[in-house]
Amino acid sequence: MTVTQRIIATMDSKDSAFFKELGARIAHARKERGMTQAALAEQLGIAQQTLAHYEVARARIAASLLPRVAELLDLSLDELLVGRPTIRLPGKRGPASRIEQQIDAVTRLPKASQKAVWQVLDAMIAQHAG
């Protein structure tokens, strides 16, 4: 195997893993929101079978569809593509602060748990604001 063939094989392997993870995130987010494949596919303007192929990585989703998928599933592109939001303060460099790490952890919880955390936070802030 030539060097070029090894590089291509490595890229294909990484791409394959990426699309499997992406498909799993799409399926998980869709199910978490109580959406069927047919409903999401219709909103995307694609066949349900095509979405099924994306979710199990039998087909690779077009990059042009990703913003719409993220919007319909109420996810950021970071959440959709890498599984977690990227939290960076403007102009800040270096590792995330403890509060940024905690916010990141909360955003990875199921939506119902996130809501509970935000309600507790809102109540604490309101209690100490005045």
Side-chain angles (χ1 to χ4, degrees):
M1 184 180 280
T2 68
V3 172
T4 303
Q5 289 171 324
R6 280 191 296 244
I7 290 170
I8 291 170
T10 300
M11 288 172 57
D12 286 344
S13 170
K14 288 179 183 176
D15 285 350
S16 178
F18 169 80
F19 282 102
K20 283 180 185 177
E21 292 168 9
L22 175 61
R25 279 191 293 277
I26 291 169
H28 176 76
R30 175 183 57 73
K31 291 172 188 174
E32 191 175 65
R33 285 150 184 80
M35 291 180 92
T36 63
Q37 282 183 340
L40 180 57
E42 182 178 332
Q43 291 182 32
L44 290 171
I46 61 174
Q48 178 271 325
Q49 190 64 30
T50 301
L51 179 60
H53 287 304
Y54 292 158
E55 289 185 356
V56 295
R58 273 186 247 129
R60 295 179 177 186
I61 189 168
S64 60
L65 275 179
L66 295 174
R68 182 72 177 140
V69 170
E71 177 185 357
L72 291 170
L73 296 175
D74 193 29
L75 299 171
S76 69
L77 280 173
D78 286 339
E79 288 171 308
L80 182 63
L81 294 174
V82 296
R84 64 185 185 288
T86 301
I87 299 175
R88 293 273 178 219
L89 295 177
K92 183 178 178 190
R93 294 179 185 224
S97 69
R98 183 163 185 250
I99 191 73
E100 290 171 313
Q101 292 171 6
Q102 289 172 321
I103 291 170
D104 182 45
V106 170
T107 61
R108 287 183 266 129
L109 294 172
K111 293 293 179 188
S113 297
Q114 287 180 32
K115 185 176 179 180
V117 170
W118 301 135
Q119 287 173 340
V120 169
L121 253 145
D122 288 342
M124 290 294 291
I125 291 169
Q127 181 180 2
H128 295 284

